[in-house]
Every structure is written in C-alpha cells, then in structure tokens.
Amino acid sequence: MIHLTESAAQHVANFIAGRGKGEGIRLGIKTSGCSGLAYVLEFVDETNTHDQVFEQHGVKVFVDPKSLVYLDGVEMDYVKNGLNEGFEFRNPNQKGECGCGESFTV
C-alpha cells in the first residue's frame, strides 16, 4: 500500500491540471547515490497493466512490481520548511540514508 497525504495529493493534482493531461504519477526507485536507492516520480499518461494502482484523495499512484517490494507502506507527503518545499517519503522498509538525504537503503 502507498499512502498519499492530502497535501501531496493536492500538489500532484495541481501539477496534472497544469499539464492538461495525465492518469496520475508513477512512484519508483532507481539505483543512485551513496546509499544505493533513490525515489523516482514521473507523470503517467499511459497505464501499464503490470503496475499496482493506489488511489487516495482523487489521485492515482502507479507502482511497478519490482519497486513495490521496496515501497510497500510508504507515506508520501508534500512539505514546506522555510524556503524549501518538496515531497517527503516515510518508508518503513528504509534501514538508512546517506548524509545528504538523496538516497536510502533497505
């Protein structure tokens, strides 16, 4: 299960509306950084039959089966801290992350 906060869902919905098209977003992982894995977000214009689809607050999140192993239970939030803002991930599978917070390990 992927959990989307209201703040994250609203931010994604605004982006999709601004684009004028899109089924939702795809959440995945890629090999990156000093800890090994990094989150990847992209718009979904065409669905993939192998994806798991999670819908919350009117927004669909698509996850491929390989990524779901690492992402099951993730909460995705959109936060603003001073001048910084962006998506924040709370992953119960995460065992550690690099010092800069760009990558994680499970």
Side-chain angles (χ1 to χ4, degrees), residues 13-97:
N14 290 343
F15 266 116
I16 292 172
R19 287 181 82 224
K21 65 177 181 174
E23 295 290 322
I25 59 166
R26 181 178 317 284
L27 175 60
I29 58 162
K30 68 176 182 175
T31 304
S32 178
C34 48
S35 288
L37 301 171
Y39 298 103
V40 178
L41 287 173
E42 61 187 16
F43 292 107
V44 174
D45 293 328
E46 293 183 26
T47 60
N48 182 336
T49 58
H50 300 293
D51 285 340
Q52 290 280 104
V53 182
F54 304 94
E55 185 170 353
Q56 292 183 333
H57 308 289
V59 173
K60 292 181 185 176
V61 179
F62 297 81
V63 182
D64 68 270
K66 290 180 183 177
S67 294
L68 188 57
V69 172
Y70 302 101
L71 298 174
D72 192 29
V74 162
E75 180 183 66
M76 185 174 146
D77 195 7
Y78 190 81
V79 296
K80 293 181 181 183
N81 291 320
L83 298 175
N84 298 319
E85 60 184 275
F87 289 105
E88 185 176 277
F89 301 92
R90 293 179 199 91
N91 188 340
N93 306 302
Q94 182 174 316
K95 302 295 184 219
E97 67 181 353

